[in-house]
Amino acid sequence: MMLRAKAIPLALCALAPLALPAQAEGPREAALSSNGEIYIAQQGTCRQLFPSCPTGAGNNSVLAVDVLRPGGSVERLLVPESAGPEVEGTPALVMEDASTWVYLIWESRTAPGTSRVNLSALQDGRWAPVVEVSGDVGPLKGAPQVLITRDSYTSLDSEGLLRPHDRTALHVIWWEDSRDQEQVFYTPILLEDGAYLGQNRVYNLSRLDSTALPETRAVLPTSLLRAAQLVPG
């Protein structure tokens, strides 16, 4: 599935530009594009972020992205599939200069004890369809962390000429609840020339450690169990 293939109409995902939009509480993710635009992820209730929120949806947890342009204008865009009763987690924001796509990755809790990790992308004010990348929507998950690596290569086109390609890997990690313990999962999301390749394999990193667990979980601090981190190097 290519994220470039189909964009959700802007009318479904954006409200009118706001001169001074309200700021969401808590930490925010930001990204800077090569043309000077700044993208800021916002998290809050529908009523906090959008004054014209539909009746009955004011307390729904939603995500939005503010686009700050060099001329000073600000536009707030609603993230698709984030305006329902689901509880939306803190998003990670990634700017891909090769394609000018802005990628958003976040955890969405669809029901008590269950959640999913979502991926979407924004370009020129339009959103690509949301893709679920965690592979299993059952277990409860933590907020994903993301690191980026980039490389380039060449291939022969149909005319036998060398064609350069840019490749970006979004390395995503999160924890999941299980019956006995919390486990850590990882998936590499590959973008070729800015386009999502359509599939990503999910790896259970906890299975790589064969160390026996203590008989009681009480000796393991909760903070340690949720300390999944990506480290470059």
Side-chain angles (χ1 to χ4, degrees):
M1 177 179 182
M2 302 291 285
L3 279 175
R4 283 178 172 171
K6 179 181 179 183
I8 297 175
L10 180 60
L12 298 180
C13 298
L15 299 183
L18 304 175
L20 293 173
Q23 300 299 305
E25 298 179 359
R28 292 176 292 159
E29 286 279 332
L32 175 65
S33 70
S34 58
N35 64 3
E37 290 183 339
I38 300 175
Y39 297 83
I40 301 176
Q42 299 283 358
Q43 179 186 23
T45 65
C46 186
R47 184 180 294 109
Q48 287 175 329
L49 299 182
F50 297 101
S52 58
C53 185
T55 303
N59 292 326
N60 286 355
S61 170
V62 303
L63 299 178
V65 172
D66 290 346
V67 184
L68 287 67
R69 298 184 173 87
S73 65
V74 182
E75 185 177 18
R76 174 162 292 172
L77 306 174
L78 176 67
V79 175
E81 299 189 23
S82 75
E86 300 85 1
V87 178
E88 310 300 341
T90 303
L93 203 62
V94 177
M95 180 72 210
E96 179 45 61
D97 287 327
S99 62
T100 68
W101 282 100
V102 179
Y103 288 89
L104 197 73
I105 300 174
W106 75 100
E107 179 237 356
S108 178
R109 303 197 172 190
T110 54
T114 64
S115 65
R116 50 185 282 169
V117 177
N118 292 330
L119 169 71
S120 189
L122 173 67
Q123 184 188 59
D124 297 331
R126 296 184 297 174
W127 288 98
V130 174
V131 179
E132 197 280 322
V133 296
S134 51
D136 187 353
V137 299
L140 186 66
K141 300 169 181 62
Q145 295 190 39
V146 183
L147 279 181
I148 307 170
T149 59
R150 294 182 173 92
D151 67 354
S152 60
Y153 67 96
T154 58
S155 66
L156 294 176
D157 63 16
S158 58
E159 298 179 354
L161 300 176
L162 286 176
R163 178 185 175 189
H165 299 277
D166 293 314
R167 182 166 51 198
T168 300
L170 308 180
H171 304 275
V172 186
I173 193 171
W174 66 91
W175 60 262
E176 288 187 7
D177 271 344
S178 68
R179 294 180 180 179
D180 301 321
Q181 62 174 333
E182 291 171 349
Q183 301 186 70
V184 178
F185 287 80
Y186 160 79
T187 186
I189 299 174
L190 297 181
L191 313 173
E192 186 173 293
D193 295 329
Y196 173 50
L197 294 183
Q199 60 182 354
N200 54 284
R201 185 174 179 180
V202 177
Y203 300 88
N204 186 341
L205 299 185
S206 301
R207 293 178 180 174
L208 301 180
D209 185 359
S210 58
T211 304
L213 292 173
E215 294 182 1
T216 173
R217 291 183 61 191
V219 300
L220 296 177
T222 302
S223 59
L224 178 61
L225 291 174
R226 301 195 180 201
Q229 291 186 343
L230 283 168
V231 180

